[in-house]
Amino acid sequence: MGDVLAGFQTVWEFDTDSVLIRFERGIRTPKLLQALGERHIPYEALSAVDLAPGKRGTVVLRAVPRPGADPLMDVADGQLKEGYDPYRLVLPTERASLAEYYAEELRGALGPGADTAAESHLVAAPPPPLSFKAYDGKASFDGKAVSFRWFWTGASSAKWKAGDQRFRIDELAGVEWRSPENRGSGGAAAKASGTAPAEDPEAPGPDAKGPAGKGSAPKGGGHGHLRLVPRGAEDHPAGRPDHDPAAVVFGMGYGLVHESLPFAAAVLEAVRASAPAPSAECSPAPARTPAAPARRDPADIADRIRHLGELHTAGLLTDEEFSAKKAELLAEL
């Protein structure tokens, strides 16, 4: 489309196969959107486009991502406030006709798989390295492993005794994120495949005492957590996150949404990328005869030999090196 549609705090730039969503910086722009900066959304990552009346004389244009297409939205699992939704564009009511035009254009650009879950992530997560401070420890991700370093004043005795933790991406099956604002579905685990581990219904609230005698759960507001799901533990009930060495807990003042959610999305993207390919349940396919290597274009070989000759003449190749390289190229004919 090649057009630009500017709304409150957000601008959508349309291309032939994608939309670039840019978030303005300012005191009214939610910190999550400022942290994301911009997001490149291929049309094939979308399942639908909605247009509805908003609050106080506005209309809201919203693109709906396909399940599995965006690691950020998979991890968020419906817990984000409306204002934090990166797929939402708010416009004044007088631009409703223009919004309807772009909504129809986007609907026409949706891919053939719009009604199905994406087999792989189509939207990139924020790149590592990433880190944030939770209430009971600092979480770090370097692209290969997630590390938890416990704080003496916040970590429970169970975590302190377990010691600092490091989890390689290939050891993980997924990541679970719960917003400290406790909205939406409650933060089921987002995984590379399979179902989420169930929260232990018998687990008490996070009120254990840490090594320094302080509560291991943040005070004030709701409690959130980021939990890593090890491979092989997908179907095991998950206990209290304040006692789980594979989890960090936080509240409104620690591990804020704009820090912990992009972190969780980046981890999930890496986990899914490293997941082993599913084994075929059917009988093995018959062995195929290896294909013969493609023959090189004679003109290309001649150009390469001519270039080698120039290097040889300039003294950059010895006689032996020139003869060996020339023989290798002639063997490809």
Side-chain angles (χ1 to χ4, degrees), residues 1 4-8 10-14 19 21 46 48-54 58-64 82 85-92 95-107:
M1 287 176 261
V4 175
L5 184 59
F8 297 114
T10 307
V11 176
W12 287 14
E13 298 182 9
F14 300 96
V19 56
I21 301 178
L46 303 177
V49 181
D50 298 331
L51 182 64
T58 62
V59 292
V60 179
L61 178 63
R62 183 176 187 272
V64 182
E82 282 188 349
D85 186 348
Y87 287 82
R88 193 168 174 267
L89 180 65
V90 182
L91 302 132
R95 305 189 73 186
S97 297
L98 186 61
E100 178 61 38
Y101 166 78
Y102 282 104
E104 287 299 323
E105 289 290 303
L106 278 174
R107 291 180 187 122

Side-chain angles (χ1 to χ4, degrees), residues 162-329:
D164 294 345
Q165 302 291 306
R166 186 176 187 274
F167 302 86
R168 297 199 319 268
I169 287 299
D170 59 6
E171 297 175 333
L172 301 177
V175 59
E176 174 186 283
W177 178 82
R178 175 167 293 180
S179 170
E181 297 168 3
N182 288 325
R183 297 179 62 87
S185 64
K191 296 173 52 183
S193 61
T195 57
E199 191 79 24
D200 184 355
E202 301 298 324
D207 56 2
K209 301 297 181 181
K214 298 187 177 181
S216 62
K219 303 298 183 182
H223 306 313
H225 68 256
L226 182 147
R227 188 199 309 270
L228 304 175
V229 183
R231 292 195 188 279
E234 297 92 332
D235 299 324
H236 297 171
R240 294 168 51 168
D242 62 322
H243 282 183
D244 186 353
V248 289
V249 297
F250 41 78
M252 299 302 290
Y254 299 86
L256 298 174
V257 170
H258 74 279
E259 297 175 332
S260 58
L261 181 59
F263 183 102
V267 174
L268 177 62
E269 180 182 65
V271 168
R272 191 164 182 180
S274 69
S279 58
E281 297 181 356
C282 57
S283 58
R288 295 186 300 175
T289 303
R295 296 178 64 85
R296 294 284 295 273
D297 183 356
D300 178 54
I301 296 294
D303 288 339
R304 294 287 301 278
I305 292 176
R306 188 178 303 110
H307 179 62
L308 287 174
E310 293 172 355
L311 296 177
H312 178 241
T313 302
L316 299 177
L317 287 177
T318 65
D319 293 342
E320 293 77 8
E321 290 172 333
F322 173 69
S323 298
K325 294 290 185 181
K326 180 178 178 182
E328 289 177 8
L329 290 171

Side-chain angles (χ1 to χ4, degrees), residues 27-60:
I27 58 175
R28 294 186 178 182
T29 303
K31 288 185 177 180
L32 173 63
L33 303 186
Q34 293 190 48
L36 294 175
E38 64 181 35
R39 307 206 77 211
H40 182 262
I41 313 295
Y43 297 141
E44 63 174 332
L46 303 177
S47 65
V49 181
D50 298 331
L51 182 64
K55 300 176 182 178
R56 295 187 292 274
T58 62
V59 292
V60 179

